[in-house]
Every structure is written in structure tokens, then in C-alpha cells.
Amino acid sequence: MITIHHLENSRSQRVLWLLEELGVPYDVKRYERLPSLQGPPELRAVHPLGKSPVLTDGELTIAETGAIVTYLLDRYGEGRLVPPQDKPEYWRYQHFLHHAEGSAMPPLFLKLVLSRIPPGVPFFVRPILAKAMQAVDDRLLDPQIANLLDYWNEALADGWFAGAEFSAADVMMSFPLEAAGARIGFGNRPRLSAFLAKIHARSGYEAALQRGGPYAYA
Ligand SMILES: N[C@@H](CCC(=O)N[C@@H](CS)C(=O)NCC(=O)O)C(=O)O
């Protein structure tokens, strides 16, 4: 039996959604965040990185969302949610499967980290630190994130990230879009909010929310 080690309000929600789309039975072991928003120490007992998601299936333990998605599709997908390998859509699919965690999430995560000065920083340093953080935001992160949002908006011209068909690339890309939508907003990029509306209306997405517990992005 598959078990997903799932941290509340996190990107591991995607794995539950994929399992619902595939109709594969699974257990969920839920973990709550610490007040610091980090994962609890029990996650380290499952995998040394202490992050979520982690999948266990028999003897196998897999961390990293992209690897888990690939495992589930290879083992249980029966060709579903992946474009045929001889089509150009297959490489769009591969691109977005990796893009989600490789290029999309790092600037969004950094933006979140820089959005508040950590507790314990002495009061006289705080204004200087705030200015430095703002400069990183303005010069580095905001232009990069605007570029990402434009890129996604263009990529969705055919309806989905890999082309005209829904695929597991859309499952992977859901979290960067949800995080960007909640933390930053989309500006004048209508395909991004349309994408979120479409995925949130899927019955598998709704079923995964019931299994996963608190999720602030839907
Ligand atoms: N690239 C990894 C990122 C894993 C990750 O950072 N997970 C977050 C959940 S959003 C987490 O476990 N955070 C808790 C922590 O860092 O302590 C993946 O996609 O699996």
C-alpha cells in the first residue's frame, strides 16, 4: 500500500491529487508544521531531509515530488497523464515537470523568506536589513518572478502546460501557480487564474483536499 507523508499546507498536496486522478488507493500520514512553519522532527524518521512529500510503497521510500510523480506514473499510470514519447508535447511535459521545482519554486520561496525579518534580529539592525531585503526583492526577485508569470501565461495558450491535454505537468505546476497567486498575484495574465479555476474544479482535486486537510492555496 502506498503511504504519502503529507505536511499540511504544502506542495505535497499535489501527490494526493495525482493519486486521485489515477484512482490509485493510498494512505495519508498527516504532519503539522511547527510554529516556525518548518516540518516536525518526525518527518526525519521517514527520510533524512525531513521534507514533504515522501512516498513509501512496500520497501521503497522516495522523496522529491518530481521523482514521486514519475514513480507513480511509471508504476501505476498505464500511460495516462503523459503525452506519447514520439510527440513534441512529451518534451513540453518533461520541461514543465522539472521546471516546477527546478526554476519556478526557488524565487517564490526566496520571496517568502525575504518577506519578514526573522525574530531575534536586534532592533537597530532591522531597518538596514529591511532595506537590503527590499533591494534583493526589487532588483533580483521581482523581475525574475514577472518573467516566470509571463512565461507561464504564454505556455498556457493551448490550454494546458504540455499542450491541449491535461497531464501530470499540470499537477506539478499547480503549486507554483497557487503560491504565486496567493503571495504575489497574477496582474494582467488571465490564463493563470483560468488555469487555477480549471484545476480546482476537477473532482480529483476536490477529493485530494478532503484527504489532505488544511490547504491555504485553493
Ligand atoms: N523540491 C522538494 C521540496 C520539498 C519541500 O521543501 N517541502 C516543504 C513543503 S512545502 C517542506 O517539507 N517544508 C518543511 C521544512 O522545510 O521543514 C519537493 O518538491 O519535494
Side-chain angles (χ1 to χ4, degrees), residues 7 10 17 50 81 89 98 101-102 104 107 111 140 179 183 195-196 214:
L7 183 63
S10 84
W17 177 28
L81 302 185
E89 285 81 1
H98 293 280
E101 286 298 317
K111 177 121 185 128
L140 185 74
R183 294 174 197 159
F195 172 83
L196 289 187

Side-chain angles (χ1 to χ4, degrees), residues 7 10-11 14 33 37-39 50-53 64-65 101 175:
L7 183 63
S10 84
R11 65 189 88 196
R14 288 177 295 192
R33 289 183 186 268
L37 298 182
Q38 288 176 304
K51 306 271 183 196
S52 171
E64 198 63 49
T65 316
E101 286 298 317
F175 191 69

Side-chain angles (χ1 to χ4, degrees), residues 178-201:
E178 287 174 336
R183 294 174 197 159
I184 296 156
F186 292 144
N188 187 21
R189 299 175 185 94
R191 290 187 195 123
L192 303 186
S193 29
F195 172 83
L196 289 187
K198 265 197 309 189
I199 64 168
H200 292 164

Side-chain angles (χ1 to χ4, degrees), residues 9-125:
N9 267 323
S10 84
R11 65 189 88 196
S12 66
Q13 187 63 42
R14 288 177 295 192
V15 177
L16 310 186
W17 177 28
L18 178 64
L19 283 156
E20 294 291 342
E21 292 281 345
L22 293 174
V24 173
Y26 60 100
D27 283 334
V28 181
K29 185 157 174 22
R30 288 190 197 170
Y31 299 80
E32 285 178 17
R33 289 183 186 268
L34 302 174
S36 65
L37 298 182
Q38 288 176 304
E42 301 87 75
L43 265 173
R44 277 182 206 276
V46 186
H47 187 279
L49 291 177
K51 306 271 183 196
S52 171
V54 176
L55 167 146
T56 54
D57 191 6
E59 296 296 294
L60 208 56
T61 299
I62 310 178
E64 198 63 49
T65 316
I68 294 171
V69 166
T70 301
Y71 170 75
L72 290 174
L73 294 169
D74 285 2
R75 178 95 170 71
Y76 302 100
E78 297 165 346
R80 290 170 294 165
L81 302 185
V82 184
Q85 284 202 18
D86 58 351
K87 297 271 190 250
E89 285 81 1
Y90 179 74
W91 294 107
R92 277 179 70 171
Y93 161 83
Q94 284 290 346
H95 167 73
F96 282 109
L97 198 72
H98 293 280
H99 172 83
E101 286 298 317
S103 300
M105 282 313 295
L108 294 173
F109 179 68
L110 201 50
K111 177 121 185 128
L112 178 68
V113 170
L114 292 181
S115 67
R116 61 179 187 149
I117 297 176
V121 174
F123 75 93
F124 51 89
V125 181

Side-chain angles (χ1 to χ4, degrees), residues 146-184:
N147 197 29
L148 284 171
L149 297 180
D150 286 342
Y151 178 60
W152 303 341
N153 197 51
E154 275 308 303
L156 285 168
D158 296 329
W160 298 102
F161 276 104
E165 303 289 332
F166 175 72
S167 76
D170 300 300
V171 177
M172 280 302 288
M173 286 300 294
S174 63
F175 191 69
L177 266 76
E178 287 174 336
R183 294 174 197 159
I184 296 156

